[in-house]
Every structure is written in C-alpha cells, then in structure tokens.
Amino acid sequence: MSNPEIDARAFRNVLGQFCTGITVITTFDEAGAPIGFACQSFAALSLDPPLVLFCPTTTSRSWAAIETAGRFCVNVLAEEQRELCARFGSREPDKFAGAPWHTSPRTLPVLDDALATIECTVESVVPGGDHHIVIGRVQALTESTTSGRPLLFYRGQYTAIEPEKTTPAPWRADLDHFLTTTTLDTWL
C-alpha cells in the first residue's frame, strides 16, 4: 500500500502542534573557531548508556564540523535567550560574535547562562531523509544554578510556560491524597 503525498506545509503545521525546547549545538571546527546552530530536534534517548540525539539537516555546515570533531555540546536555552537563538538559527558567519560563552574543561564551547549543558561524543549517525539522526554519548552534564525557565517553540513561534506559581495547582492536593491513601485492593 503506498502512502498518499504529504503536503510539506500541512506537515509543518501539524508537527507545530508539538511544543519543543530549543538548544544550540556547539563544537570547535578544525581551525579552532567555535561553531554552532539552533536545534529544536533534540531528545534524550537512553539512560544506560546515557545517550541523546539531535537531527541536523544534511546540508548543515555546522553539522559537517561536528562530524569532523566527533564531539559536541548541547546548550539548553533559557527563556531570556531568544535573541541568541535567533542568531544561532541564522546564516550569520560568526554566530559567537557578541554571544557570551566560554570553553568547558572538556574543551567545548559552552554558552553562558544556558539552563543546562550536555557534552557528548558522536556515537553514531543514521540517515533520516533530509536530516541526519545523530546519537551522542553523554560525557559530562551541568545545570544552571539559577531557576530559569526554558525557551520553547510552538506553532512556529517562541512561547513560554506559565508564570512561576507560589501555590500548588488545585489538583495537586487531590493527587497527593490519592497516592498516599491508595492500597493494592483499591485497584481490584
């Protein structure tokens, strides 16, 4: 049975209903210059061994440098880093110009104020249509010491989670009560 032709715009619109976080994947190129690109196709893959994945386009120059380097850093962007995201999502030749960053102890470029960083080696690469599926083995992790919120992308634009709450959601007490009073015979 053949699949009907899927309209590219409809495909994007439907998948735009899925909210994603935004990362910037970074490394150093062969000349020692930092390079990177904005990436929303990132996910955790495995706990044992610790693996993550991201999906760059097959024509990405940043991916070519990452593949050559064999290692990369995933920078999880904070809500305040919209301009930084736009810069790394552009064709700007020096995306790091004016961007606050430093070199990690594992010698990878790390964006300052990222919510988390995940330093990896390239474990494997699988073809995925007009993208690659890159599997990375996690070598080091850090998370921000501040309580920032993630930068999100939904329906083709940036979005945010609701403001921080100082009181628990109303359903929380019901859930806590259910979890603490439920016994094995409750499920029978």
Side-chain angles (χ1 to χ4, degrees):
M1 175 184 259
S2 65
N3 291 332
E5 189 67 31
I6 302 295
D7 175 69
R9 174 52 47 201
F11 185 74
R12 281 178 166 248
N13 288 345
V14 169
L15 293 179
Q17 302 303 312
F18 182 66
C19 185
T20 64
I22 304 174
T23 65
V24 171
I25 312 291
T26 60
T27 198
F28 286 108
D29 67 15
E30 288 180 300
I35 59 125
F37 70 99
C39 179
Q40 70 184 88
S41 57
F42 166 78
L45 179 61
S46 169
L47 289 175
D48 186 19
L51 301 173
V52 296
L53 67 81
F54 72 94
C55 302
T57 64
T58 57
T59 58
S60 169
R61 291 175 303 195
S62 296
W63 161 243
I66 292 167
E67 184 175 34
T68 299
R71 57 203 192 100
F72 59 93
C73 180
V74 178
N75 298 268
V76 178
L77 296 186
E79 185 176 46
E80 300 80 29
Q81 294 178 303
R82 288 180 184 201
E83 287 181 25
L84 188 67
C85 177
R87 180 175 194 80
F88 278 88
S90 74
R91 295 194 183 276
E92 176 71 36
D94 184 4
K95 296 175 184 175
F96 281 83
W101 67 280
H102 62 278
T103 301
S104 75
R106 298 188 60 78
T107 64
L108 283 167
V110 173
L111 298 173
D112 293 351
D113 302 322
L115 288 180
T117 60
I118 307 157
E119 296 178 72
C120 304
T121 55
V122 175
E123 181 84 1
S124 62
V125 181
V126 179
D130 59 1
H131 283 67
H132 297 292
I133 302 166
V134 180
I135 298 171
R137 182 177 289 261
V138 176
Q139 303 294 321
L141 302 161
T142 62
E143 65 181 308
S144 173
T145 56
T146 62
S147 58
R149 297 174 341 150
L151 180 60
L152 303 174
F153 200 69
Y154 177 65
R155 292 185 173 176
Q157 59 189 357
Y158 296 120
T159 189
I161 56 177
E162 63 185 89
E164 290 186 47
K165 293 182 175 183
T166 55
T167 58
W171 54 264
R172 180 86 184 199
D174 293 338
L175 177 62
D176 287 342
H177 175 73
F178 175 77
L179 293 175
T180 58
T181 59
T182 302
T183 61
L184 289 176
D185 63 341
T186 306
W187 297 99
L188 301 177

